[in-house]
CSV table of all heavy atoms in Angstrom, one decimal:
chain,number,residue,atom,x,y,z
W,1,LEU,N,-67.8,-38.6,-32.2
W,1,LEU,CA,-68.7,-37.6,-32.9
W,1,LEU,C,-69.2,-36.6,-31.9
W,1,LEU,O,-69.3,-35.4,-32.2
W,1,LEU,CB,-69.9,-38.4,-33.4
W,1,LEU,CG,-70.9,-37.5,-34.3
W,1,LEU,CD1,-70.2,-36.9,-35.5
W,1,LEU,CD2,-72.1,-38.3,-34.7
W,2,TYR,N,-69.3,-37.0,-30.6
W,2,TYR,CA,-69.8,-36.0,-29.6
W,2,TYR,C,-68.7,-34.9,-29.4
W,2,TYR,O,-69.0,-33.7,-29.3
W,2,TYR,CB,-70.0,-36.7,-28.3
W,2,TYR,CG,-70.3,-35.8,-27.1
W,2,TYR,CD1,-71.5,-35.2,-27.0
W,2,TYR,CD2,-69.3,-35.6,-26.2
W,2,TYR,CE1,-71.7,-34.3,-25.9
W,2,TYR,CE2,-69.5,-34.8,-25.1
W,2,TYR,CZ,-70.7,-34.1,-25.0
W,2,TYR,OH,-70.9,-33.3,-23.9
W,3,THR,N,-67.5,-35.3,-29.4
W,3,THR,CA,-66.4,-34.3,-29.1
W,3,THR,C,-66.3,-33.3,-30.3
W,3,THR,O,-66.1,-32.1,-30.1
W,3,THR,CB,-65.0,-35.1,-29.0
W,3,THR,OG1,-65.2,-36.1,-28.0
W,3,THR,CG2,-63.9,-34.1,-28.6
W,4,PHE,N,-66.5,-33.8,-31.5
W,4,PHE,CA,-66.5,-33.0,-32.7
W,4,PHE,C,-67.6,-31.9,-32.6
W,4,PHE,O,-67.4,-30.7,-32.8
W,4,PHE,CB,-66.6,-33.8,-34.0
W,4,PHE,CG,-66.7,-32.9,-35.2
W,4,PHE,CD1,-65.6,-32.2,-35.7
W,4,PHE,CD2,-67.9,-32.9,-35.9
W,4,PHE,CE1,-65.8,-31.4,-36.8
W,4,PHE,CE2,-68.0,-32.1,-37.0
W,4,PHE,CZ,-67.0,-31.4,-37.5
W,5,LEU,N,-68.8,-32.4,-32.3
W,5,LEU,CA,-69.9,-31.5,-32.2
W,5,LEU,C,-69.7,-30.5,-31.1
W,5,LEU,O,-70.1,-29.3,-31.2
W,5,LEU,CB,-71.2,-32.3,-32.0
W,5,LEU,CG,-71.7,-33.1,-33.1
W,5,LEU,CD1,-72.9,-33.9,-32.8
W,5,LEU,CD2,-72.0,-32.2,-34.3
W,6,GLU,N,-69.1,-30.9,-30.0
W,6,GLU,CA,-68.9,-30.0,-28.8
W,6,GLU,C,-67.9,-28.9,-29.2
W,6,GLU,O,-68.1,-27.7,-28.9
W,6,GLU,CB,-68.4,-30.8,-27.6
W,6,GLU,CG,-68.1,-29.9,-26.4
W,6,GLU,CD,-67.5,-30.7,-25.3
W,6,GLU,OE1,-67.1,-31.9,-25.5
W,6,GLU,OE2,-67.2,-30.1,-24.3
W,7,THR,N,-66.9,-29.2,-29.9
W,7,THR,CA,-65.9,-28.2,-30.3
W,7,THR,C,-66.4,-27.3,-31.3
W,7,THR,O,-66.2,-26.1,-31.3
W,7,THR,CB,-64.6,-28.9,-30.8
W,7,THR,OG1,-64.9,-29.8,-31.9
W,7,THR,CG2,-63.8,-29.6,-29.7
W,8,VAL,N,-67.3,-27.8,-32.2
W,8,VAL,CA,-67.9,-26.9,-33.2
W,8,VAL,C,-68.8,-25.9,-32.5
W,8,VAL,O,-68.9,-24.7,-32.8
W,8,VAL,CB,-68.6,-27.7,-34.3
W,8,VAL,CG1,-69.5,-26.8,-35.2
W,8,VAL,CG2,-67.6,-28.4,-35.2
W,9,LEU,N,-69.6,-26.4,-31.6
W,9,LEU,CA,-70.5,-25.5,-30.8
W,9,LEU,C,-69.8,-24.5,-30.0
W,9,LEU,O,-70.2,-23.4,-29.8
W,9,LEU,CB,-71.5,-26.4,-30.0
W,9,LEU,CG,-72.5,-27.2,-30.7
W,9,LEU,CD1,-73.4,-28.0,-29.8
W,9,LEU,CD2,-73.4,-26.2,-31.5
W,10,ASP,N,-68.6,-24.9,-29.4
W,10,ASP,CA,-67.8,-24.0,-28.7
W,10,ASP,C,-67.3,-22.8,-29.6
W,10,ASP,O,-67.3,-21.7,-29.2
W,10,ASP,CB,-66.6,-24.7,-28.0
W,10,ASP,CG,-67.0,-25.5,-26.8
W,10,ASP,OD1,-68.1,-25.3,-26.3
W,10,ASP,OD2,-66.3,-26.4,-26.5
W,11,CYS,N,-66.9,-23.2,-30.8
W,11,CYS,CA,-66.5,-22.1,-31.7
W,11,CYS,C,-67.7,-21.2,-32.1
W,11,CYS,O,-67.5,-20.0,-32.1
W,11,CYS,CB,-66.0,-22.8,-33.0
W,11,CYS,SG,-64.4,-23.5,-32.9
W,12,LEU,N,-68.8,-21.8,-32.3
W,12,LEU,CA,-70.0,-20.9,-32.6
W,12,LEU,C,-70.4,-20.1,-31.4
W,12,LEU,O,-70.9,-19.0,-31.6
W,12,LEU,CB,-71.2,-21.8,-33.0
W,12,LEU,CG,-71.0,-22.6,-34.3
W,12,LEU,CD1,-72.2,-23.5,-34.6
W,12,LEU,CD2,-70.9,-21.6,-35.5
W,13,ALA,N,-70.2,-20.5,-30.2
W,13,ALA,CA,-70.5,-19.7,-29.0
W,13,ALA,C,-69.6,-18.5,-28.9
W,13,ALA,O,-70.0,-17.5,-28.3
W,13,ALA,CB,-70.4,-20.6,-27.8
W,14,LEU,N,-68.4,-18.6,-29.5
W,14,LEU,CA,-67.5,-17.4,-29.4
W,14,LEU,C,-67.7,-16.4,-30.6
W,14,LEU,O,-67.1,-15.3,-30.5
W,14,LEU,CB,-66.0,-17.9,-29.5
W,14,LEU,CG,-65.6,-18.7,-28.3
W,14,LEU,CD1,-64.2,-19.3,-28.5
W,14,LEU,CD2,-65.6,-17.9,-27.0
W,15,VAL,N,-68.5,-16.7,-31.5
W,15,VAL,CA,-68.7,-15.8,-32.7
W,15,VAL,C,-69.3,-14.5,-32.2
W,15,VAL,O,-68.9,-13.4,-32.7
W,15,VAL,CB,-69.6,-16.5,-33.7
W,15,VAL,CG1,-70.1,-15.5,-34.8
W,15,VAL,CG2,-68.9,-17.6,-34.4
W,16,PRO,N,-70.3,-14.4,-31.3
W,16,PRO,CA,-70.8,-13.1,-30.9
W,16,PRO,C,-69.8,-12.2,-30.3
W,16,PRO,O,-69.8,-11.0,-30.5
W,16,PRO,CB,-71.9,-13.4,-29.9
W,16,PRO,CG,-72.3,-14.8,-30.2
W,16,PRO,CD,-71.1,-15.5,-30.7
W,17,SER,N,-68.8,-12.7,-29.6
W,17,SER,CA,-67.7,-11.9,-29.1
W,17,SER,C,-66.9,-11.3,-30.2
W,17,SER,O,-66.5,-10.1,-30.1
W,17,SER,CB,-66.8,-12.7,-28.2
W,17,SER,OG,-67.5,-13.2,-27.1
W,18,PHE,N,-66.6,-12.0,-31.3
W,18,PHE,CA,-65.9,-11.5,-32.4
W,18,PHE,C,-66.8,-10.4,-33.1
W,18,PHE,O,-66.2,-9.3,-33.5
W,18,PHE,CB,-65.6,-12.6,-33.5
W,18,PHE,CG,-64.5,-13.4,-33.1
W,18,PHE,CD1,-64.6,-14.8,-32.8
W,18,PHE,CD2,-63.2,-12.9,-33.1
W,18,PHE,CE1,-63.6,-15.6,-32.5
W,18,PHE,CE2,-62.1,-13.7,-32.8
W,18,PHE,CZ,-62.3,-15.1,-32.5
W,19,ILE,N,-68.0,-10.6,-33.2
W,19,ILE,CA,-68.9,-9.6,-33.9
W,19,ILE,C,-68.9,-8.4,-33.1
W,19,ILE,O,-68.9,-7.3,-33.6
W,19,ILE,CB,-70.3,-10.2,-34.1
W,19,ILE,CG1,-70.3,-11.3,-35.1
W,19,ILE,CG2,-71.3,-9.1,-34.5
W,19,ILE,CD1,-71.6,-12.1,-35.2
W,20,ARG,N,-69.0,-8.5,-31.7
W,20,ARG,CA,-69.0,-7.3,-30.9
W,20,ARG,C,-67.7,-6.5,-31.0
W,20,ARG,O,-67.7,-5.3,-31.0
W,20,ARG,CB,-69.3,-7.7,-29.4
W,20,ARG,CG,-70.7,-7.5,-29.0
W,20,ARG,CD,-70.8,-7.7,-27.5
W,20,ARG,NE,-70.9,-9.2,-27.2
W,20,ARG,CZ,-70.1,-9.8,-26.4
W,20,ARG,NH1,-69.3,-9.2,-25.6
W,20,ARG,NH2,-70.2,-11.1,-26.2
W,21,PHE,N,-66.6,-7.2,-31.1
W,21,PHE,CA,-65.3,-6.6,-31.1
W,21,PHE,C,-65.1,-5.8,-32.4
W,21,PHE,O,-64.6,-4.7,-32.5
W,21,PHE,CB,-64.2,-7.6,-30.9
W,21,PHE,CG,-62.8,-6.9,-30.7
W,21,PHE,CD1,-62.4,-6.4,-29.5
W,21,PHE,CD2,-62.0,-6.8,-31.8
W,21,PHE,CE1,-61.2,-5.8,-29.4
W,21,PHE,CE2,-60.7,-6.2,-31.7
W,21,PHE,CZ,-60.3,-5.7,-30.5
W,22,PHE,N,-65.5,-6.4,-33.5
W,22,PHE,CA,-65.3,-5.8,-34.8
W,22,PHE,C,-66.5,-5.0,-35.3
W,22,PHE,O,-66.6,-4.7,-36.5
W,22,PHE,CB,-65.0,-6.9,-35.9
W,22,PHE,CG,-63.6,-7.5,-35.7
W,22,PHE,CD1,-63.5,-8.9,-35.3
W,22,PHE,CD2,-62.5,-6.8,-35.9
W,22,PHE,CE1,-62.3,-9.4,-35.1
W,22,PHE,CE2,-61.2,-7.3,-35.7
W,22,PHE,CZ,-61.1,-8.6,-35.3
W,23,ALA,N,-67.5,-4.7,-34.5
W,23,ALA,CA,-68.7,-4.0,-34.9
W,23,ALA,C,-68.3,-2.6,-35.3
W,23,ALA,O,-69.1,-1.9,-36.0
W,23,ALA,CB,-69.7,-4.0,-33.8
W,24,GLY,N,-67.2,-2.0,-34.9
W,24,GLY,CA,-66.8,-0.7,-35.3
W,24,GLY,C,-67.2,0.4,-34.3
W,24,GLY,O,-67.1,1.5,-34.6
W,25,SER,N,-67.7,0.0,-33.2
W,25,SER,CA,-68.1,1.0,-32.2
W,25,SER,C,-66.8,1.6,-31.5
W,25,SER,O,-65.8,0.9,-31.5
W,25,SER,CB,-69.0,0.3,-31.1
W,25,SER,OG,-68.3,-0.7,-30.4
W,26,ASN,N,-67.0,2.8,-31.1
W,26,ASN,CA,-65.8,3.5,-30.5
W,26,ASN,C,-65.5,2.9,-29.1
W,26,ASN,O,-64.3,2.9,-28.7
W,26,ASN,CB,-66.1,5.0,-30.3
W,26,ASN,CG,-66.1,5.6,-31.7
W,26,ASN,OD1,-65.5,5.1,-32.6
W,26,ASN,ND2,-66.9,6.7,-31.8
W,27,ASN,N,-66.4,2.5,-28.3
W,27,ASN,CA,-66.1,1.9,-27.0
W,27,ASN,C,-66.3,0.4,-27.1
W,27,ASN,O,-67.4,-0.1,-27.0
W,27,ASN,CB,-67.0,2.5,-25.9
W,27,ASN,CG,-68.3,3.2,-26.4
W,27,ASN,OD1,-68.4,3.4,-27.5
W,27,ASN,ND2,-69.2,3.4,-25.5
W,28,HIS,N,-65.2,-0.3,-27.2
W,28,HIS,CA,-65.2,-1.7,-27.3
W,28,HIS,C,-65.5,-2.3,-25.9
W,28,HIS,O,-65.0,-1.8,-24.9
W,28,HIS,CB,-63.9,-2.3,-27.8
W,28,HIS,CG,-63.6,-2.0,-29.2
W,28,HIS,ND1,-64.3,-2.5,-30.2
W,28,HIS,CD2,-62.7,-1.1,-29.8
W,28,HIS,CE1,-63.8,-2.1,-31.4
W,28,HIS,NE2,-62.9,-1.2,-31.1
W,29,SER,N,-66.4,-3.3,-25.8
W,29,SER,CA,-66.7,-3.9,-24.5
W,29,SER,C,-65.6,-4.9,-24.1
W,29,SER,O,-65.5,-5.3,-23.0
W,29,SER,CB,-68.0,-4.6,-24.6
W,29,SER,OG,-68.0,-5.6,-25.6
W,30,LEU,N,-64.7,-5.3,-25.1
W,30,LEU,CA,-63.6,-6.2,-24.8
W,30,LEU,C,-62.3,-5.4,-24.8
W,30,LEU,O,-62.1,-4.6,-25.7
W,30,LEU,CB,-63.6,-7.3,-25.8
W,30,LEU,CG,-64.7,-8.4,-25.7
W,30,LEU,CD1,-64.5,-9.3,-26.9
W,30,LEU,CD2,-64.5,-9.2,-24.4
W,31,SER,N,-61.5,-5.8,-23.9
W,31,SER,CA,-60.1,-5.2,-24.0
W,31,SER,C,-59.3,-6.0,-25.0
W,31,SER,O,-59.7,-7.1,-25.4
W,31,SER,CB,-59.4,-5.3,-22.6
W,31,SER,OG,-59.2,-6.7,-22.2
W,32,PRO,N,-58.2,-5.5,-25.5
W,32,PRO,CA,-57.4,-6.3,-26.4
W,32,PRO,C,-56.9,-7.6,-25.8
W,32,PRO,O,-56.8,-8.6,-26.5
W,32,PRO,CB,-56.2,-5.4,-26.7
W,32,PRO,CG,-56.7,-4.0,-26.4
W,32,PRO,CD,-57.7,-4.1,-25.3
W,33,GLY,N,-56.6,-7.6,-24.5
W,33,GLY,CA,-56.3,-8.9,-23.9
W,33,GLY,C,-57.4,-9.9,-23.8
W,33,GLY,O,-57.2,-11.1,-24.1
W,34,GLY,N,-58.6,-9.4,-23.6
W,34,GLY,CA,-59.8,-10.3,-23.6
W,34,GLY,C,-60.1,-10.8,-25.0
W,34,GLY,O,-60.4,-12.0,-25.2
W,35,PHE,N,-59.8,-10.0,-26.0
W,35,PHE,CA,-60.0,-10.4,-27.4
W,35,PHE,C,-59.0,-11.5,-27.7
W,35,PHE,O,-59.3,-12.4,-28.4
W,35,PHE,CB,-59.9,-9.2,-28.4
W,35,PHE,CG,-60.0,-9.7,-29.8
W,35,PHE,CD1,-61.2,-10.1,-30.3
W,35,PHE,CD2,-58.9,-9.7,-30.6
W,35,PHE,CE1,-61.3,-10.5,-31.6
W,35,PHE,CE2,-59.0,-10.1,-31.9
W,35,PHE,CZ,-60.2,-10.5,-32.4
W,36,ALA,N,-57.7,-11.3,-27.3
W,36,ALA,CA,-56.7,-12.3,-27.5
W,36,ALA,C,-57.0,-13.6,-26.9
W,36,ALA,O,-56.8,-14.7,-27.6
W,36,ALA,CB,-55.3,-11.8,-27.0
W,37,VAL,N,-57.6,-13.6,-25.7
W,37,VAL,CA,-58.0,-14.9,-25.1
W,37,VAL,C,-59.1,-15.6,-25.9
W,37,VAL,O,-59.0,-16.8,-26.1
W,37,VAL,CB,-58.4,-14.6,-23.6
W,37,VAL,CG1,-59.1,-15.8,-23.0
W,37,VAL,CG2,-57.2,-14.2,-22.8
W,38,ILE,N,-60.1,-14.8,-26.3
W,38,ILE,CA,-61.2,-15.4,-27.1
W,38,ILE,C,-60.6,-15.9,-28.5
W,38,ILE,O,-61.0,-17.0,-28.9
W,38,ILE,CB,-62.3,-14.3,-27.3
W,38,ILE,CG1,-63.0,-14.1,-26.0
W,38,ILE,CG2,-63.3,-14.8,-28.4
W,38,ILE,CD1,-64.0,-13.0,-26.1
W,39,PHE,N,-59.7,-15.1,-29.1
W,39,PHE,CA,-59.1,-15.6,-30.4
W,39,PHE,C,-58.4,-16.9,-30.2
W,39,PHE,O,-58.5,-17.8,-31.0
W,39,PHE,CB,-58.2,-14.5,-30.9
W,39,PHE,CG,-57.6,-14.9,-32.2
W,39,PHE,CD1,-58.3,-14.9,-33.4
W,39,PHE,CD2,-56.3,-15.2,-32.3
W,39,PHE,CE1,-57.7,-15.3,-34.6
W,39,PHE,CE2,-55.7,-15.6,-33.4
W,39,PHE,CZ,-56.4,-15.6,-34.6
W,40,LEU,N,-57.5,-16.9,-29.2
W,40,LEU,CA,-56.7,-18.2,-28.9
W,40,LEU,C,-57.6,-19.4,-28.6
W,40,LEU,O,-57.4,-20.5,-29.1
W,40,LEU,CB,-55.7,-18.0,-27.8
W,40,LEU,CG,-54.5,-17.1,-28.2
W,40,LEU,CD1,-53.7,-16.8,-26.9
W,40,LEU,CD2,-53.7,-17.7,-29.3
W,41,ALA,N,-58.7,-19.1,-27.8
W,41,ALA,CA,-59.6,-20.2,-27.5
W,41,ALA,C,-60.3,-20.7,-28.7
W,41,ALA,O,-60.5,-21.9,-28.9
W,41,ALA,CB,-60.6,-19.8,-26.4
W,42,SER,N,-60.8,-19.8,-29.5
W,42,SER,CA,-61.5,-20.2,-30.8
W,42,SER,C,-60.5,-20.9,-31.7
W,42,SER,O,-60.9,-21.9,-32.3
W,42,SER,CB,-62.0,-18.9,-31.4
W,42,SER,OG,-62.7,-19.2,-32.6
W,43,SER,N,-59.3,-20.4,-31.8
W,43,SER,CA,-58.3,-21.1,-32.7
W,43,SER,C,-58.1,-22.5,-32.2
W,43,SER,O,-58.0,-23.5,-33.0
W,43,SER,CB,-57.0,-20.4,-32.7
W,43,SER,OG,-57.2,-19.1,-33.2
W,44,MET,N,-58.0,-22.7,-30.9
W,44,MET,CA,-57.7,-24.1,-30.4
W,44,MET,C,-58.9,-25.0,-30.6
W,44,MET,O,-58.8,-26.1,-30.9
W,44,MET,CB,-57.4,-24.0,-28.9
W,44,MET,CG,-56.0,-23.4,-28.6
W,44,MET,SD,-55.6,-23.0,-26.9
W,44,MET,CE,-56.3,-24.3,-26.0
W,45,PHE,N,-60.1,-24.4,-30.4
W,45,PHE,CA,-61.3,-25.2,-30.7
W,45,PHE,C,-61.4,-25.6,-32.2
W,45,PHE,O,-61.8,-26.7,-32.5
W,45,PHE,CB,-62.6,-24.5,-30.3
W,45,PHE,CG,-62.8,-24.5,-28.8
W,45,PHE,CD1,-63.1,-23.3,-28.1
W,45,PHE,CD2,-62.7,-25.6,-28.0
W,45,PHE,CE1,-63.3,-23.3,-26.8
W,45,PHE,CE2,-62.9,-25.6,-26.7
W,45,PHE,CZ,-63.2,-24.4,-26.0
W,46,MET,N,-61.1,-24.7,-33.1
W,46,MET,CA,-61.2,-25.0,-34.5
W,46,MET,C,-60.1,-26.0,-34.9
W,46,MET,O,-60.4,-26.9,-35.7
W,46,MET,CB,-61.0,-23.7,-35.3
W,46,MET,CG,-62.2,-22.9,-35.3
W,46,MET,SD,-62.1,-21.5,-36.5
W,46,MET,CE,-61.0,-20.4,-35.7
W,47,TYR,N,-58.9,-25.9,-34.3
W,47,TYR,CA,-57.9,-26.9,-34.5
W,47,TYR,C,-58.3,-28.3,-34.0
W,47,TYR,O,-58.1,-29.3,-34.7
W,47,TYR,CB,-56.6,-26.5,-33.8
W,47,TYR,CG,-55.5,-27.5,-33.9
W,47,TYR,CD1,-54.8,-27.7,-35.1
W,47,TYR,CD2,-55.2,-28.3,-32.8
W,47,TYR,CE1,-53.8,-28.7,-35.2
W,47,TYR,CE2,-54.2,-29.2,-32.9
W,47,TYR,CZ,-53.5,-29.4,-34.0
W,47,TYR,OH,-52.5,-30.4,-34.1
W,48,SER,N,-58.9,-28.3,-32.8
W,48,SER,CA,-59.4,-29.6,-32.3
W,48,SER,C,-60.5,-30.2,-33.1
W,48,SER,O,-60.4,-31.4,-33.4
W,48,SER,CB,-59.9,-29.4,-30.9
W,48,SER,OG,-58.9,-29.0,-30.0
W,49,ALA,N,-61.4,-29.4,-33.6
W,49,ALA,CA,-62.5,-29.9,-34.4
W,49,ALA,C,-61.9,-30.4,-35.8
W,49,ALA,O,-62.3,-31.5,-36.2
W,49,ALA,CB,-63.5,-28.8,-34.7
W,50,SER,N,-61.0,-29.8,-36.4
W,50,SER,CA,-60.4,-30.2,-37.6
W,50,SER,C,-59.6,-31.5,-37.4
W,50,SER,O,-59.6,-32.4,-38.3
W,50,SER,CB,-59.6,-29.2,-38.3
W,50,SER,OG,-58.4,-28.9,-37.5
W,51,THR,N,-58.9,-31.6,-36.3
W,51,THR,CA,-58.1,-32.8,-36.0
W,51,THR,C,-59.1,-34.0,-35.8
W,51,THR,O,-58.8,-35.1,-36.3
W,51,THR,CB,-57.3,-32.6,-34.7
W,51,THR,OG1,-56.4,-31.5,-35.0
W,51,THR,CG2,-56.5,-33.9,-34.4
W,52,ILE,N,-60.1,-33.8,-35.1
W,52,ILE,CA,-61.1,-34.9,-34.8
W,52,ILE,C,-61.8,-35.3,-36.2
W,52,ILE,O,-61.9,-36.5,-36.4
W,52,ILE,CB,-62.2,-34.5,-33.8
W,52,ILE,CG1,-61.5,-34.3,-32.4
W,52,ILE,CG2,-63.3,-35.5,-33.7
W,52,ILE,CD1,-62.3,-33.6,-31.4
W,53,LEU,N,-62.1,-34.3,-37.0
W,53,LEU,CA,-62.8,-34.6,-38.3
W,53,LEU,C,-61.8,-35.4,-39.2
W,53,LEU,O,-62.2,-36.4,-39.8
W,53,LEU,CB,-63.2,-33.4,-38.9
W,53,LEU,CG,-64.0,-33.5,-40.2
W,53,LEU,CD1,-65.3,-34.2,-39.9
W,53,LEU,CD2,-64.3,-32.2,-40.8
W,54,SER,N,-60.5,-35.0,-39.2
W,54,SER,CA,-59.6,-35.8,-40.0
W,54,SER,C,-59.4,-37.2,-39.5
W,54,SER,O,-59.1,-38.1,-40.2
W,54,SER,CB,-58.3,-35.0,-40.1
W,54,SER,OG,-57.6,-35.0,-38.9
W,55,GLY,N,-59.4,-37.3,-38.2
W,55,GLY,CA,-59.3,-38.7,-37.6
W,55,GLY,C,-60.5,-39.6,-38.0
W,55,GLY,O,-60.3,-40.7,-38.3
W,56,TYR,N,-61.7,-39.0,-38.0
W,56,TYR,CA,-62.9,-39.8,-38.4
W,56,TYR,C,-62.7,-40.1,-39.9
W,56,TYR,O,-63.1,-41.3,-40.3
W,56,TYR,CB,-64.2,-39.0,-38.2
W,56,TYR,CG,-64.6,-38.9,-36.8
W,56,TYR,CD1,-65.2,-37.7,-36.3
W,56,TYR,CD2,-64.5,-40.0,-35.9
W,56,TYR,CE1,-65.6,-37.6,-35.0
W,56,TYR,CE2,-64.9,-39.9,-34.6
W,56,TYR,CZ,-65.5,-38.7,-34.2
W,56,TYR,OH,-65.9,-38.6,-32.9
W,57,TYR,N,-62.3,-39.2,-40.7
W,57,TYR,CA,-62.1,-39.4,-42.1
W,57,TYR,C,-61.1,-40.6,-42.4
W,57,TYR,O,-61.3,-41.5,-43.2
W,57,TYR,CB,-61.7,-38.2,-42.8
W,57,TYR,CG,-61.3,-38.4,-44.3
W,57,TYR,CD1,-62.4,-38.6,-45.2
W,57,TYR,CD2,-60.0,-38.4,-44.8
W,57,TYR,CE1,-62.1,-38.8,-46.6
W,57,TYR,CE2,-59.8,-38.6,-46.1
W,57,TYR,CZ,-60.8,-38.8,-47.0
W,57,TYR,OH,-60.5,-39.0,-48.3
W,58,THR,N,-60.0,-40.5,-41.7
W,58,THR,CA,-58.9,-41.6,-41.8
W,58,THR,C,-59.5,-42.9,-41.4
W,58,THR,O,-59.2,-43.9,-42.0
W,58,THR,CB,-57.7,-41.2,-41.0
W,58,THR,OG1,-57.3,-39.9,-41.4
W,58,THR,CG2,-56.6,-42.2,-41.2
W,59,TYR,N,-60.2,-42.9,-40.3
W,59,TYR,CA,-60.8,-44.2,-39.8
W,59,TYR,C,-61.8,-44.8,-40.8
W,59,TYR,O,-61.7,-46.0,-41.1
W,59,TYR,CB,-61.5,-43.9,-38.4
W,59,TYR,CG,-62.3,-45.0,-37.9
W,59,TYR,CD1,-61.6,-46.0,-37.2
W,59,TYR,CD2,-63.6,-45.2,-38.0
W,59,TYR,CE1,-62.3,-47.1,-36.6
W,59,TYR,CE2,-64.3,-46.2,-37.5
W,59,TYR,CZ,-63.7,-47.2,-36.8
W,59,TYR,OH,-64.3,-48.3,-36.3
W,60,LEU,N,-62.6,-44.0,-41.3
W,60,LEU,CA,-63.6,-44.5,-42.3
W,60,LEU,C,-62.9,-44.9,-43.6
W,60,LEU,O,-63.3,-45.9,-44.2
W,60,LEU,CB,-64.6,-43.4,-42.6
W,60,LEU,CG,-65.6,-43.1,-41.5
W,60,LEU,CD1,-66.5,-41.9,-41.9
W,60,LEU,CD2,-66.4,-44.3,-41.1
W,61,LEU,N,-61.9,-44.2,-44.0
W,61,LEU,CA,-61.1,-44.5,-45.2
W,61,LEU,C,-60.4,-45.8,-45.0
W,61,LEU,O,-60.4,-46.7,-46.0
W,61,LEU,CB,-60.1,-43.4,-45.5
W,61,LEU,CG,-59.4,-43.4,-46.9
W,61,LEU,CD1,-60.4,-43.2,-48.0
W,61,LEU,CD2,-58.3,-42.4,-46.9
W,62,LEU,N,-59.8,-46.1,-43.9
W,62,LEU,CA,-59.1,-47.3,-43.7
W,62,LEU,C,-60.0,-48.5,-43.6
W,62,LEU,O,-59.8,-49.6,-44.2
W,62,LEU,CB,-58.3,-47.2,-42.4
W,62,LEU,CG,-57.0,-46.4,-42.5
W,62,LEU,CD1,-56.4,-46.3,-41.1
W,62,LEU,CD2,-56.0,-46.9,-43.4
W,63,HIS,N,-61.2,-48.3,-43.0
W,63,HIS,CA,-62.1,-49.4,-42.9
W,63,HIS,C,-62.9,-49.7,-44.2
W,63,HIS,O,-63.2,-50.8,-44.5
W,63,HIS,CB,-63.2,-49.1,-41.8
W,63,HIS,CG,-62.6,-49.4,-40.4
W,63,HIS,ND1,-62.4,-50.7,-40.0
W,63,HIS,CD2,-62.1,-48.6,-39.5
W,63,HIS,CE1,-61.9,-50.6,-38.7
W,63,HIS,NE2,-61.7,-49.4,-38.4
W,64,SER,N,-63.0,-48.6,-45.0
W,64,SER,CA,-63.7,-48.9,-46.3
W,64,SER,C,-62.7,-49.7,-47.3
W,64,SER,O,-63.2,-50.4,-48.1
W,64,SER,CB,-64.1,-47.6,-46.9
W,64,SER,OG,-63.0,-46.8,-47.3
W,65,HIS,N,-61.4,-49.5,-47.1
W,65,HIS,CA,-60.5,-50.2,-48.0
W,65,HIS,C,-60.3,-51.6,-47.5
W,65,HIS,O,-59.8,-52.5,-48.3
W,65,HIS,CB,-59.1,-49.5,-48.1
W,65,HIS,CG,-59.2,-48.2,-48.9
W,65,HIS,ND1,-59.4,-48.3,-50.3
W,65,HIS,CD2,-59.1,-46.9,-48.6
W,65,HIS,CE1,-59.4,-47.1,-50.8
W,65,HIS,NE2,-59.2,-46.2,-49.8
W,66,ASN,N,-60.6,-51.9,-46.3
W,66,ASN,CA,-60.4,-53.3,-45.7
W,66,ASN,C,-61.6,-54.2,-46.0
W,66,ASN,O,-61.5,-55.4,-45.9
W,66,ASN,CB,-60.2,-53.2,-44.2
W,66,ASN,CG,-58.8,-52.8,-43.9
W,66,ASN,OD1,-57.9,-52.9,-44.7
W,66,ASN,ND2,-58.6,-52.2,-42.7
W,67,CYS,N,-62.7,-53.6,-46.5
W,67,CYS,CA,-63.9,-54.4,-46.7
W,67,CYS,C,-63.9,-55.1,-48.1
W,67,CYS,O,-63.4,-54.9,-49.0
W,67,CYS,CB,-65.1,-53.6,-46.6
W,67,CYS,SG,-65.4,-53.1,-44.9
């Protein structure tokens, strides 16, 4: 559960960078390369969180059918 919460909080910590990049201002504070790094990191965190959540779901499903 701790790992799932950590990955979700990591994704939420990257949200302000997305908001700053897509704010529509003419002078972006992030370079395209910096945005790509943030996007890839956020994608990996979301993938990890969904994998962990599906693992918990499978674990609970298997144990509920064995009882």
Side-chain angles (χ1 to χ4, degrees):
L1 186 61
Y2 171 76
T3 309
F4 173 72
L5 292 176
E6 180 185 4
T7 53
V8 169
L9 289 175
D10 287 337
C11 287
L12 292 176
L14 293 172
V15 168
S17 297
F18 281 113
I19 292 172
R20 261 188 281 127
F21 188 81
F22 289 114
S25 62
N26 290 333
N27 22 343
H28 292 290
S29 60
L30 286 174
S31 67
F35 177 73
V37 168
I38 290 173
F39 178 76
L40 287 175
S42 178
S43 299
M44 288 172 39
F45 284 132
M46 286 188 286
Y47 173 75
S48 297
S50 65
T51 302
I52 293 167
L53 187 62
S54 67
Y56 286 143
Y57 175 73
T58 305
Y59 175 80
L60 292 174
L61 191 66
L62 288 174
H63 281 285
S64 67
H65 286 294
N66 285 336
C67 292

